[in-house]
Amino acid sequence: AYAERFVGGVLTVLVERGAGERPGRVEGHSENYIRVRLPGGRERIGELVPVRIVRRRGEELEGEPAL
């Protein structure tokens, strides 16, 4: 799948909302329109966050903020 090629890399993600069923997680879209989930609170909504991608789940990616 297209999203698989980004695992291990860093994408910039615009945090758009809480990740519903998972407290302490937020989600948004990368600059290439892939949905990404990552740890964080709702205070991150509206921020651009560099995210290290750790896995693909279907057409979504999961990652951690890159430090």
Side-chain angles (χ1 to χ4, degrees):
Y2 172 72
E4 185 72 32
R5 72 181 75 186
F6 299 101
V7 174
V10 175
L11 294 175
T12 299
V13 174
L14 173 61
V15 178
E16 299 169 299
R17 61 185 177 188
E21 75 285 353
R22 298 188 67 186
R25 311 257 323 154
V26 291
E27 65 181 48
H29 286 87
S30 68
E31 64 268 25
N32 47 2
Y33 307 107
I34 299 172
R35 182 170 295 170
V36 180
R37 292 182 179 216
L38 62 144
R42 298 179 78 78
E43 68 278 357
R44 306 236 39 193
I45 292 173
E47 292 183 10
L48 287 171
V49 180
V51 178
R52 180 161 312 281
I53 304 303
V54 297
R55 73 180 59 82
R56 178 181 65 89
R57 289 190 186 257
E59 291 303 311
E60 295 181 352
L61 297 172
E62 291 190 2
E64 303 287 336
L67 302 176

